[in-house]
Amino acid sequence: MSEHERVDEERGPKPDPMSRSRFLNILLGTGAGGLAAAVIYPVGRYIVPPEAPEAAANSVVLSLKPADVPPNTGQIFKFGAKPGILVRTPGGELRAFSAVCTHLDCTVQYRDDLSHIWCACHNGHFDLSGRNIAGPPPSPLVQFDVFEREDAIVVSRKS
Ligand code: FES
């Protein structure tokens, strides 16, 4: 028996280098995969948020009496998850629209000095029929139906 053989015998059996490196590869591979998933998943969820269930409001009862809305005024109300605007024209007619500007979704407001609806974000103007008359809004506001009751005002989507 040579000197090398005797030394190897004292150290015990040689470990299989292939199985050790394979184990390390698997360990590192799953660790890297787990890290990538831990980073990519939340980033992906942030970039593509889940669809929020739209509050399916087809009508809303406002706790306002018709007399609470004087001529040439407007009030924001909640229509489902989005704002609406209730307008009493200078002539006394009650109208309601989506208050979401058709340009970049800012909330519009009523300007009694102009007697029409205005968007402060980029100076968009809408007439009392909801038509876009000036500024960047590309299309009219969505108009709702309005029903006046003695004790309330009911706003609903047009059918
Ligand atoms: S968001 Fe209304 S004018 Fe731009």
Side-chain angles (χ1 to χ4, degrees), residues 101 103-106 119 121-124 136-137:
C101 180
H103 179 222
L104 292 176
D105 295 348
C106 287
C119 180
C121 285
H122 309 101
N123 198 27

Side-chain angles (χ1 to χ4, degrees), residues 30-146:
T30 53
L35 180 65
V39 170
I40 291 170
Y41 180 74
V43 170
R45 293 288 294 186
Y46 177 76
I47 291 171
V48 184
E51 281 204 18
E54 177 103 2
N58 285 324
S59 71
V60 63
V61 178
L62 306 177
S63 56
L64 291 168
K65 293 183 180 121
D68 294 338
V69 189
N72 200 30
T73 61
Q75 296 186 30
I76 297 293
F77 62 93
K78 205 166 174 199
F79 194 88
K82 303 212 168 150
I85 185 166
L86 180 71
V87 171
R88 175 84 72 185
T89 67
E93 195 180 332
L94 209 48
R95 296 180 183 168
F97 305 91
S98 164
V100 178
C101 180
T102 56
H103 179 222
L104 292 176
D105 295 348
C106 287
T107 300
V108 298
Q109 58 191 279
Y110 187 76
R111 288 269 307 260
D112 57 359
D113 57 329
L114 300 172
S115 294
H116 69 230
I117 300 166
W118 177 66
C119 180
C121 285
H122 309 101
N123 198 27
H125 295 258
F126 300 89
D127 69 12
L128 294 182
S129 297
R131 278 190 303 261
N132 46 319
I133 53 173
S139 54
L141 296 172
V142 174
Q143 187 166 10
F144 301 136
D145 286 328
V146 183

